[in-house]
Amino acid sequence: MSDKEKNVTIVNPEDKKFIQVLMSLSPEKKFFIKGIILGMETQRKLDRNIQPGVNA
C-alpha cells in the first residue's frame, strides 16, 4: 500500500464521526455548509491580500 493510501485509511475516531455526521446531512444542509466554507476561504484570501498599512 502506498503512503498516499495509508493517509486516507488512517482517520482519527473523532474525524471519522465528524465525516459520518457531515455525510448524513440533507443536500440542502450540505449546500449551506459549502457556502459557509467558500465564504470563509474568500475572507481568508482577502485578509492575506489586504495588509494593514500597506493598502491604506
Side-chain angles (χ1 to χ4, degrees), residues 30-47:
K30 287 180 189 174
F31 184 75
F32 180 69
I33 290 173
K34 284 180 188 178
I36 292 171
I37 293 169
L38 287 172
M40 290 171 63
E41 183 64 26
T42 301
Q43 183 63 45
R44 191 172 70 145
K45 287 179 183 177
L46 285 172
D47 290 344

Side-chain angles (χ1 to χ4, degrees), residues 7-49:
N7 288 338
V8 172
T9 57
I10 300 172
V11 178
N12 293 329
E14 298 85 14
D15 293 338
K16 189 173 182 178
K17 179 68 176 166
F18 174 76
I19 293 167
Q20 288 172 338
V21 169
L22 195 59
M23 295 311 296
S24 70
L25 294 175
S26 68
E28 295 84 11
K29 289 181 181 176
K30 287 180 189 174
F31 184 75
F32 180 69
I33 290 173
K34 284 180 188 178
I36 292 171
I37 293 169
L38 287 172
M40 290 171 63
E41 183 64 26
T42 301
Q43 183 63 45
R44 191 172 70 145
K45 287 179 183 177
L46 285 172
D47 290 344
R48 268 189 277 159
N49 291 335

